[in-house]
Amino acid sequence: MARTSDTREMKVGQEQTHDMSATGKIDRADFIDEFEEVDTPNWEANKQEAFMNEYVEVMISEEQNPNAEQFIETSVNGVNQFFIRGEVQRVKRYFLEVLARANPYHISTKEFIDANGNKGTRIIKTPGKKYPFQVFNDSPDGVRWLQSIMMEA
């Protein structure tokens, strides 16, 4: 059964939080990101290559900002693919992966008081979506694959 996926409705990546106390030493181990495991398809190389070469219909969402890119260029192994916002295009899945992985991070900091009453700084790293898009008429494996890519970001 064909399915539609909309990245505007998908969770992107996993927020990471790190606390830095105002006193004491900072340990490098405190800044190692911890991630939730995501179920991803685990195929042999031939099946994976065939899957990535499947054609999918994709549309990058319109942007309200008049200065936003209208033509988005992606490149895989020297092969370029341009996307035009608001138009449905039929492309190979490996270009879709480039779009799905184009997720910038927003870094913010907040002061907090630790258990001992000392001031500290909390660093919050939140993933975002650079090019929200929709995928039309995808297979169930394709939907699961896209969700796992978005969670990796």
mmCIF file of all heavy atoms in Angstrom, residues 75-120:
data_model
loop_
_atom_site.group_PDB
_atom_site.id
_atom_site.type_symbol
_atom_site.label_atom_id
_atom_site.label_comp_id
_atom_site.label_asym_id
_atom_site.label_seq_id
_atom_site.Cartn_x
_atom_site.Cartn_y
_atom_site.Cartn_z
ATOM 1 N N SER A 75 23.716 16.723 -4.064
ATOM 2 C CA SER A 75 24.718 16.017 -4.855
ATOM 3 C C SER A 75 25.104 14.728 -4.149
ATOM 4 O O SER A 75 25.332 14.721 -2.940
ATOM 5 C CB SER A 75 25.954 16.904 -5.039
ATOM 6 O OG SER A 75 26.895 16.269 -5.859
ATOM 7 N N VAL A 76 25.141 13.633 -4.910
ATOM 8 C CA VAL A 76 25.556 12.338 -4.386
ATOM 9 C C VAL A 76 26.552 11.749 -5.376
ATOM 10 O O VAL A 76 26.217 11.544 -6.546
ATOM 11 C CB VAL A 76 24.356 11.380 -4.194
ATOM 12 C CG1 VAL A 76 24.828 10.005 -3.751
ATOM 13 C CG2 VAL A 76 23.359 11.957 -3.200
ATOM 14 N N ASN A 77 27.767 11.508 -4.927
ATOM 15 C CA ASN A 77 28.822 10.926 -5.766
ATOM 16 C C ASN A 77 28.980 11.668 -7.092
ATOM 17 O O ASN A 77 29.111 11.061 -8.156
ATOM 18 C CB ASN A 77 28.558 9.437 -6.014
ATOM 19 C CG ASN A 77 28.667 8.619 -4.753
ATOM 20 O OD1 ASN A 77 29.391 8.987 -3.831
ATOM 21 N ND2 ASN A 77 27.932 7.529 -4.687
ATOM 22 N N GLY A 78 28.934 12.978 -7.041
ATOM 23 C CA GLY A 78 29.140 13.799 -8.235
ATOM 24 C C GLY A 78 27.915 13.961 -9.118
ATOM 25 O O GLY A 78 27.977 14.641 -10.143
ATOM 26 N N VAL A 79 26.790 13.363 -8.746
ATOM 27 C CA VAL A 79 25.549 13.509 -9.519
ATOM 28 C C VAL A 79 24.681 14.538 -8.797
ATOM 29 O O VAL A 79 24.394 14.403 -7.614
ATOM 30 C CB VAL A 79 24.795 12.163 -9.621
ATOM 31 C CG1 VAL A 79 23.494 12.339 -10.387
ATOM 32 C CG2 VAL A 79 25.675 11.106 -10.276
ATOM 33 N N ASN A 80 24.294 15.589 -9.533
ATOM 34 C CA ASN A 80 23.510 16.664 -8.940
ATOM 35 C C ASN A 80 22.022 16.461 -9.199
ATOM 36 O O ASN A 80 21.630 15.957 -10.249
ATOM 37 C CB ASN A 80 23.926 18.016 -9.510
ATOM 38 C CG ASN A 80 25.350 18.359 -9.161
ATOM 39 O OD1 ASN A 80 25.855 17.959 -8.125
ATOM 40 N ND2 ASN A 80 26.016 19.095 -10.023
ATOM 41 N N GLN A 81 21.226 16.919 -8.243
ATOM 42 C CA GLN A 81 19.771 16.916 -8.389
ATOM 43 C C GLN A 81 19.255 18.218 -7.800
ATOM 44 O O GLN A 81 19.537 18.532 -6.656
ATOM 45 C CB GLN A 81 19.150 15.725 -7.636
ATOM 46 C CG GLN A 81 17.639 15.734 -7.588
ATOM 47 C CD GLN A 81 17.018 15.499 -8.944
ATOM 48 O OE1 GLN A 81 17.337 14.544 -9.618
ATOM 49 N NE2 GLN A 81 16.126 16.379 -9.350
ATOM 50 N N PHE A 82 18.526 18.983 -8.599
ATOM 51 C CA PHE A 82 17.927 20.220 -8.117
ATOM 52 C C PHE A 82 16.478 19.960 -7.734
ATOM 53 O O PHE A 82 15.762 19.234 -8.424
ATOM 54 C CB PHE A 82 17.983 21.313 -9.185
ATOM 55 C CG PHE A 82 19.349 21.894 -9.353
ATOM 56 C CD1 PHE A 82 20.250 21.332 -10.235
ATOM 57 C CD2 PHE A 82 19.747 23.002 -8.615
ATOM 58 C CE1 PHE A 82 21.516 21.856 -10.384
ATOM 59 C CE2 PHE A 82 21.009 23.530 -8.757
ATOM 60 C CZ PHE A 82 21.900 22.959 -9.641
ATOM 61 N N PHE A 83 16.052 20.571 -6.639
ATOM 62 C CA PHE A 83 14.666 20.513 -6.199
ATOM 63 C C PHE A 83 14.087 21.919 -6.298
ATOM 64 O O PHE A 83 14.768 22.889 -5.960
ATOM 65 C CB PHE A 83 14.570 20.042 -4.749
ATOM 66 C CG PHE A 83 14.924 18.597 -4.561
ATOM 67 C CD1 PHE A 83 16.244 18.212 -4.336
ATOM 68 C CD2 PHE A 83 13.948 17.621 -4.611
ATOM 69 C CE1 PHE A 83 16.569 16.885 -4.164
ATOM 70 C CE2 PHE A 83 14.259 16.290 -4.436
ATOM 71 C CZ PHE A 83 15.579 15.916 -4.222
ATOM 72 N N ILE A 84 12.864 22.027 -6.740
ATOM 73 C CA ILE A 84 12.166 23.310 -6.828
ATOM 74 C C ILE A 84 11.063 23.284 -5.780
ATOM 75 O O ILE A 84 10.232 22.375 -5.768
ATOM 76 C CB ILE A 84 11.577 23.526 -8.233
ATOM 77 C CG1 ILE A 84 12.685 23.447 -9.280
ATOM 78 C CG2 ILE A 84 10.847 24.866 -8.297
ATOM 79 C CD1 ILE A 84 12.188 23.357 -10.705
ATOM 80 N N ARG A 85 11.079 24.278 -4.905
ATOM 81 C CA ARG A 85 10.075 24.326 -3.829
ATOM 82 C C ARG A 85 8.662 24.300 -4.408
ATOM 83 O O ARG A 85 8.365 24.968 -5.383
ATOM 84 C CB ARG A 85 10.232 25.595 -3.002
ATOM 85 C CG ARG A 85 11.365 25.537 -2.031
ATOM 86 C CD ARG A 85 11.297 26.741 -1.091
ATOM 87 N NE ARG A 85 12.483 26.833 -0.289
ATOM 88 C CZ ARG A 85 12.648 26.186 0.865
ATOM 89 N NH1 ARG A 85 11.701 25.426 1.335
ATOM 90 N NH2 ARG A 85 13.765 26.323 1.551
ATOM 91 N N GLY A 86 7.805 23.515 -3.750
ATOM 92 C CA GLY A 86 6.404 23.490 -4.121
ATOM 93 C C GLY A 86 6.052 22.625 -5.322
ATOM 94 O O GLY A 86 4.895 22.538 -5.694
ATOM 95 N N GLU A 87 7.038 21.971 -5.933
ATOM 96 C CA GLU A 87 6.774 21.112 -7.087
ATOM 97 C C GLU A 87 7.077 19.655 -6.741
ATOM 98 O O GLU A 87 8.110 19.361 -6.152
ATOM 99 C CB GLU A 87 7.637 21.524 -8.283
ATOM 100 C CG GLU A 87 7.218 22.829 -8.906
ATOM 101 C CD GLU A 87 7.939 23.108 -10.216
ATOM 102 O OE1 GLU A 87 8.546 22.174 -10.804
ATOM 103 O OE2 GLU A 87 7.901 24.263 -10.642
ATOM 104 N N VAL A 88 6.178 18.754 -7.139
ATOM 105 C CA VAL A 88 6.410 17.326 -6.930
ATOM 106 C C VAL A 88 7.400 16.861 -7.990
ATOM 107 O O VAL A 88 7.228 17.133 -9.172
ATOM 108 C CB VAL A 88 5.089 16.531 -7.041
ATOM 109 C CG1 VAL A 88 5.358 15.034 -6.911
ATOM 110 C CG2 VAL A 88 4.101 16.990 -5.977
ATOM 111 N N GLN A 89 8.459 16.192 -7.528
ATOM 112 C CA GLN A 89 9.493 15.696 -8.428
ATOM 113 C C GLN A 89 9.753 14.225 -8.160
ATOM 114 O O GLN A 89 9.691 13.778 -7.022
ATOM 115 C CB GLN A 89 10.797 16.483 -8.235
ATOM 116 C CG GLN A 89 10.682 17.930 -8.640
ATOM 117 C CD GLN A 89 11.952 18.685 -8.340
ATOM 118 O OE1 GLN A 89 11.966 19.507 -7.449
ATOM 119 N NE2 GLN A 89 12.996 18.388 -9.070
ATOM 120 N N ARG A 90 10.062 13.505 -9.211
ATOM 121 C CA ARG A 90 10.379 12.077 -9.104
ATOM 122 C C ARG A 90 11.903 11.952 -9.117
ATOM 123 O O ARG A 90 12.550 12.271 -10.116
ATOM 124 C CB ARG A 90 9.750 11.341 -10.290
ATOM 125 C CG ARG A 90 9.778 9.858 -10.158
ATOM 126 C CD ARG A 90 8.902 9.231 -11.253
ATOM 127 N NE ARG A 90 8.926 7.803 -11.148
ATOM 128 C CZ ARG A 90 9.690 7.003 -11.890
ATOM 129 N NH1 ARG A 90 10.464 7.511 -12.821
ATOM 130 N NH2 ARG A 90 9.655 5.702 -11.709
ATOM 131 N N VAL A 91 12.460 11.490 -7.981
ATOM 132 C CA VAL A 91 13.915 11.401 -7.836
ATOM 133 C C VAL A 91 14.292 10.074 -7.202
ATOM 134 O O VAL A 91 13.456 9.405 -6.590
ATOM 135 C CB VAL A 91 14.483 12.562 -6.977
ATOM 136 C CG1 VAL A 91 14.163 13.903 -7.589
ATOM 137 C CG2 VAL A 91 13.966 12.486 -5.554
ATOM 138 N N LYS A 92 15.556 9.718 -7.315
ATOM 139 C CA LYS A 92 16.040 8.506 -6.650
ATOM 140 C C LYS A 92 16.124 8.760 -5.144
ATOM 141 O O LYS A 92 16.397 9.858 -4.689
ATOM 142 C CB LYS A 92 17.388 8.096 -7.213
ATOM 143 C CG LYS A 92 17.268 7.576 -8.633
ATOM 144 C CD LYS A 92 18.511 6.879 -9.086
ATOM 145 C CE LYS A 92 18.265 6.285 -10.475
ATOM 146 N NZ LYS A 92 19.423 5.533 -10.936
ATOM 147 N N ARG A 93 15.887 7.696 -4.391
ATOM 148 C CA ARG A 93 15.817 7.790 -2.944
ATOM 149 C C ARG A 93 17.094 8.347 -2.314
ATOM 150 O O ARG A 93 17.057 9.005 -1.285
ATOM 151 C CB ARG A 93 15.505 6.412 -2.353
ATOM 152 C CG ARG A 93 15.218 6.446 -0.873
ATOM 153 C CD ARG A 93 14.867 5.087 -0.324
ATOM 154 N NE ARG A 93 13.740 4.471 -0.988
ATOM 155 C CZ ARG A 93 12.473 4.729 -0.710
ATOM 156 N NH1 ARG A 93 12.174 5.599 0.221
ATOM 157 N NH2 ARG A 93 11.506 4.102 -1.360
ATOM 158 N N TYR A 94 18.254 8.110 -2.936
ATOM 159 C CA TYR A 94 19.480 8.593 -2.298
ATOM 160 C C TYR A 94 19.537 10.115 -2.248
ATOM 161 O O TYR A 94 20.187 10.680 -1.383
ATOM 162 C CB TYR A 94 20.749 7.979 -2.892
ATOM 163 C CG TYR A 94 20.960 8.087 -4.382
ATOM 164 C CD1 TYR A 94 21.434 9.245 -4.964
ATOM 165 C CD2 TYR A 94 20.744 6.980 -5.206
ATOM 166 C CE1 TYR A 94 21.669 9.325 -6.321
ATOM 167 C CE2 TYR A 94 20.983 7.042 -6.564
ATOM 168 C CZ TYR A 94 21.436 8.226 -7.123
ATOM 169 O OH TYR A 94 21.676 8.301 -8.468
ATOM 170 N N PHE A 95 18.821 10.823 -3.138
ATOM 171 C CA PHE A 95 18.735 12.281 -3.029
ATOM 172 C C PHE A 95 17.799 12.676 -1.883
ATOM 173 O O PHE A 95 18.013 13.690 -1.225
ATOM 174 C CB PHE A 95 18.255 12.904 -4.343
ATOM 175 C CG PHE A 95 19.271 12.803 -5.439
ATOM 176 C CD1 PHE A 95 19.032 12.003 -6.545
ATOM 177 C CD2 PHE A 95 20.465 13.489 -5.369
ATOM 178 C CE1 PHE A 95 19.970 11.894 -7.558
ATOM 179 C CE2 PHE A 95 21.416 13.390 -6.376
ATOM 180 C CZ PHE A 95 21.166 12.586 -7.470
ATOM 181 N N LEU A 96 16.790 11.863 -1.654
ATOM 182 C CA LEU A 96 15.891 12.083 -0.529
ATOM 183 C C LEU A 96 16.663 11.996 0.787
ATOM 184 O O LEU A 96 16.430 12.768 1.710
ATOM 185 C CB LEU A 96 14.767 11.047 -0.566
ATOM 186 C CG LEU A 96 13.776 11.037 0.577
ATOM 187 C CD1 LEU A 96 13.005 12.349 0.638
ATOM 188 C CD2 LEU A 96 12.827 9.868 0.426
ATOM 189 N N GLU A 97 17.625 11.079 0.854
ATOM 190 C CA GLU A 97 18.432 10.947 2.072
ATOM 191 C C GLU A 97 19.230 12.220 2.344
ATOM 192 O O GLU A 97 19.368 12.639 3.495
ATOM 193 C CB GLU A 97 19.375 9.750 1.976
ATOM 194 C CG GLU A 97 20.173 9.546 3.238
ATOM 195 C CD GLU A 97 21.032 8.300 3.230
ATOM 196 O OE1 GLU A 97 21.122 7.613 2.190
ATOM 197 O OE2 GLU A 97 21.623 8.010 4.290
ATOM 198 N N VAL A 98 19.737 12.860 1.295
ATOM 199 C CA VAL A 98 20.478 14.117 1.474
ATOM 200 C C VAL A 98 19.559 15.169 2.103
ATOM 201 O O VAL A 98 19.955 15.866 3.038
ATOM 202 C CB VAL A 98 21.052 14.616 0.131
ATOM 203 C CG1 VAL A 98 21.681 15.994 0.286
ATOM 204 C CG2 VAL A 98 22.077 13.631 -0.416
ATOM 205 N N LEU A 99 18.332 15.285 1.592
ATOM 206 C CA LEU A 99 17.379 16.242 2.166
ATOM 207 C C LEU A 99 17.058 15.904 3.615
ATOM 208 O O LEU A 99 16.998 16.780 4.471
ATOM 209 C CB LEU A 99 16.072 16.249 1.366
ATOM 210 C CG LEU A 99 16.084 16.855 -0.013
ATOM 211 C CD1 LEU A 99 14.706 16.725 -0.647
ATOM 212 C CD2 LEU A 99 16.519 18.304 0.019
ATOM 213 N N ALA A 100 16.844 14.622 3.890
ATOM 214 C CA ALA A 100 16.470 14.197 5.236
ATOM 215 C C ALA A 100 17.586 14.450 6.245
ATOM 216 O O ALA A 100 17.320 14.692 7.418
ATOM 217 C CB ALA A 100 16.090 12.718 5.233
ATOM 218 N N ARG A 101 18.816 14.414 5.805
ATOM 219 C CA ARG A 101 19.945 14.623 6.718
ATOM 220 C C ARG A 101 20.364 16.086 6.831
ATOM 221 O O ARG A 101 21.248 16.422 7.606
ATOM 222 C CB ARG A 101 21.128 13.764 6.289
ATOM 223 C CG ARG A 101 20.867 12.275 6.476
ATOM 224 C CD ARG A 101 22.120 11.454 6.269
ATOM 225 N NE ARG A 101 21.850 10.042 6.332
ATOM 226 C CZ ARG A 101 21.744 9.326 7.454
ATOM 227 N NH1 ARG A 101 21.876 9.920 8.616
ATOM 228 N NH2 ARG A 101 21.507 8.037 7.409
ATOM 229 N N ALA A 102 19.732 16.960 6.059
ATOM 230 C CA ALA A 102 20.055 18.395 6.115
ATOM 231 C C ALA A 102 19.285 19.028 7.270
ATOM 232 O O ALA A 102 18.290 19.713 7.075
ATOM 233 C CB ALA A 102 19.713 19.068 4.791
ATOM 234 N N ASN A 103 19.744 18.775 8.472
ATOM 235 C CA ASN A 103 19.059 19.248 9.671
ATOM 236 C C ASN A 103 20.034 20.024 10.550
ATOM 237 O O ASN A 103 20.896 19.429 11.185
ATOM 238 C CB ASN A 103 18.475 18.069 10.451
ATOM 239 C CG ASN A 103 17.404 17.353 9.668
ATOM 240 O OD1 ASN A 103 16.580 17.991 9.026
ATOM 241 N ND2 ASN A 103 17.413 16.039 9.700
ATOM 242 N N PRO A 104 19.902 21.348 10.590
ATOM 243 C CA PRO A 104 20.793 22.134 11.444
ATOM 244 C C PRO A 104 20.421 21.979 12.914
ATOM 245 O O PRO A 104 19.307 21.574 13.247
ATOM 246 C CB PRO A 104 20.530 23.567 10.975
ATOM 247 C CG PRO A 104 19.122 23.538 10.474
ATOM 248 C CD PRO A 104 18.921 22.163 9.887
ATOM 249 N N TYR A 105 21.352 22.305 13.785
ATOM 250 C CA TYR A 105 21.105 22.280 15.224
ATOM 251 C C TYR A 105 20.991 23.704 15.745
ATOM 252 O O TYR A 105 21.676 24.605 15.277
ATOM 253 C CB TYR A 105 22.258 21.585 15.965
ATOM 254 C CG TYR A 105 22.160 20.092 15.917
ATOM 255 C CD1 TYR A 105 22.799 19.369 14.928
ATOM 256 C CD2 TYR A 105 21.410 19.399 16.854
ATOM 257 C CE1 TYR A 105 22.704 17.989 14.875
ATOM 258 C CE2 TYR A 105 21.304 18.022 16.819
ATOM 259 C CZ TYR A 105 21.956 17.331 15.822
ATOM 260 O OH TYR A 105 21.845 15.967 15.787
ATOM 261 N N HIS A 106 20.134 23.883 16.727
ATOM 262 C CA HIS A 106 20.016 25.148 17.441
ATOM 263 C C HIS A 106 20.619 24.911 18.820
ATOM 264 O O HIS A 106 20.248 23.950 19.502
ATOM 265 C CB HIS A 106 18.550 25.567 17.552
ATOM 266 C CG HIS A 106 18.339 26.757 18.432
ATOM 267 N ND1 HIS A 106 18.680 28.028 18.043
ATOM 268 C CD2 HIS A 106 17.849 26.861 19.691
ATOM 269 C CE1 HIS A 106 18.407 28.869 19.019
ATOM 270 N NE2 HIS A 106 17.893 28.179 20.033
ATOM 271 N N ILE A 107 21.560 25.754 19.206
ATOM 272 C CA ILE A 107 22.202 25.633 20.515
ATOM 273 C C ILE A 107 21.719 26.788 21.388
ATOM 274 O O ILE A 107 21.763 27.946 20.979
ATOM 275 C CB ILE A 107 23.747 25.701 20.401
ATOM 276 C CG1 ILE A 107 24.284 24.682 19.404
ATOM 277 C CG2 ILE A 107 24.398 25.571 21.770
ATOM 278 C CD1 ILE A 107 24.183 23.258 19.840
ATOM 279 N N SER A 108 21.255 26.464 22.577
ATOM 280 C CA SER A 108 20.870 27.504 23.520
ATOM 281 C C SER A 108 21.477 27.175 24.884
ATOM 282 O O SER A 108 21.818 26.029 25.161
ATOM 283 C CB SER A 108 19.345 27.618 23.623
ATOM 284 O OG SER A 108 18.788 26.422 24.106
ATOM 285 N N THR A 109 21.628 28.203 25.699
ATOM 286 C CA THR A 109 22.162 28.007 27.048
ATOM 287 C C THR A 109 21.231 28.667 28.055
ATOM 288 O O THR A 109 20.613 29.691 27.760
ATOM 289 C CB THR A 109 23.575 28.613 27.194
ATOM 290 O OG1 THR A 109 23.515 30.007 26.884
ATOM 291 C CG2 THR A 109 24.563 27.926 26.280
ATOM 292 N N LYS A 110 21.128 28.044 29.221
ATOM 293 C CA LYS A 110 20.306 28.586 30.302
ATOM 294 C C LYS A 110 21.071 28.422 31.605
ATOM 295 O O LYS A 110 21.747 27.424 31.806
ATOM 296 C CB LYS A 110 18.976 27.843 30.404
ATOM 297 C CG LYS A 110 18.085 28.037 29.212
ATOM 298 C CD LYS A 110 16.769 27.309 29.387
ATOM 299 C CE LYS A 110 15.911 27.534 28.158
ATOM 300 N NZ LYS A 110 14.641 26.838 28.229
ATOM 301 N N GLU A 111 20.963 29.412 32.469
ATOM 302 C CA GLU A 111 21.569 29.296 33.790
ATOM 303 C C GLU A 111 20.656 28.488 34.689
ATOM 304 O O GLU A 111 19.436 28.518 34.541
ATOM 305 C CB GLU A 111 21.800 30.678 34.402
ATOM 306 C CG GLU A 111 22.993 31.389 33.830
ATOM 307 C CD GLU A 111 23.374 32.621 34.644
ATOM 308 O OE1 GLU A 111 22.740 32.907 35.674
ATOM 309 O OE2 GLU A 111 24.314 33.294 34.219
ATOM 310 N N PHE A 112 21.262 27.746 35.621
ATOM 311 C CA PHE A 112 20.488 26.983 36.592
ATOM 312 C C PHE A 112 21.249 26.946 37.907
ATOM 313 O O PHE A 112 22.430 27.272 37.966
ATOM 314 C CB PHE A 112 20.195 25.563 36.062
ATOM 315 C CG PHE A 112 21.397 24.656 36.051
ATOM 316 C CD1 PHE A 112 21.620 23.762 37.090
ATOM 317 C CD2 PHE A 112 22.306 24.687 34.999
ATOM 318 C CE1 PHE A 112 22.716 22.929 37.079
ATOM 319 C CE2 PHE A 112 23.397 23.851 34.980
ATOM 320 C CZ PHE A 112 23.613 22.967 36.020
ATOM 321 N N ILE A 113 20.561 26.542 38.939
ATOM 322 C CA ILE A 113 21.167 26.385 40.264
ATOM 323 C C ILE A 113 21.237 24.885 40.545
ATOM 324 O O ILE A 113 20.221 24.189 40.488
ATOM 325 C CB ILE A 113 20.322 27.084 41.366
ATOM 326 C CG1 ILE A 113 20.080 28.558 41.027
ATOM 327 C CG2 ILE A 113 20.988 26.915 42.729
ATOM 328 C CD1 ILE A 113 21.322 29.414 40.983
ATOM 329 N N ASP A 114 22.461 24.384 40.826
ATOM 330 C CA ASP A 114 22.602 22.940 41.065
ATOM 331 C C ASP A 114 22.167 22.579 42.490
ATOM 332 O O ASP A 114 21.744 23.434 43.254
ATOM 333 C CB ASP A 114 24.026 22.469 40.760
ATOM 334 C CG ASP A 114 25.077 23.001 41.723
ATOM 335 O OD1 ASP A 114 24.709 23.564 42.777
ATOM 336 O OD2 ASP A 114 26.275 22.856 41.427
ATOM 337 N N ALA A 115 22.285 21.317 42.827
ATOM 338 C CA ALA A 115 21.826 20.819 44.137
ATOM 339 C C ALA A 115 22.557 21.471 45.306
ATOM 340 O O ALA A 115 22.036 21.528 46.416
ATOM 341 C CB ALA A 115 21.996 19.305 44.188
ATOM 342 N N ASN A 116 23.782 21.978 45.067
ATOM 343 C CA ASN A 116 24.563 22.612 46.138
ATOM 344 C C ASN A 116 24.348 24.116 46.196
ATOM 345 O O ASN A 116 25.015 24.812 46.954
ATOM 346 C CB ASN A 116 26.052 22.321 45.934
ATOM 347 C CG ASN A 116 26.352 20.848 46.030
ATOM 348 O OD1 ASN A 116 25.727 20.133 46.809
ATOM 349 N ND2 ASN A 116 27.291 20.390 45.226
ATOM 350 N N GLY A 117 23.450 24.654 45.357
ATOM 351 C CA GLY A 117 23.182 26.091 45.351
ATOM 352 C C GLY A 117 24.126 26.882 44.462
ATOM 353 O O GLY A 117 24.098 28.111 44.472
ATOM 354 N N ASN A 118 24.970 26.193 43.680
ATOM 355 C CA ASN A 118 25.900 26.880 42.781
ATOM 356 C C ASN A 118 25.253 27.116 41.421
ATOM 357 O O ASN A 118 24.471 26.307 40.943
ATOM 358 C CB ASN A 118 27.162 26.040 42.575
ATOM 359 C CG ASN A 118 27.902 25.817 43.865
ATOM 360 O OD1 ASN A 118 28.065 26.738 44.666
ATOM 361 N ND2 ASN A 118 28.328 24.592 44.098
ATOM 362 N N LYS A 119 25.639 28.240 40.790
ATOM 363 C CA LYS A 119 25.141 28.527 39.441
ATOM 364 C C LYS A 119 25.846 27.623 38.437
ATOM 365 O O LYS A 119 27.019 27.300 38.594
ATOM 366 C CB LYS A 119 25.402 29.978 39.057
ATOM 367 C CG LYS A 119 24.458 30.955 39.674
ATOM 368 C CD LYS A 119 24.680 32.343 39.094
ATOM 369 C CE LYS A 119 23.674 33.316 39.644
ATOM 370 N NZ LYS A 119 23.865 34.654 39.087
ATOM 371 N N GLY A 120 25.121 27.253 37.442
ATOM 372 C CA GLY A 120 25.685 26.444 36.369
ATOM 373 C C GLY A 120 25.054 26.849 35.052
ATOM 374 O O GLY A 120 24.139 27.677 35.002
#
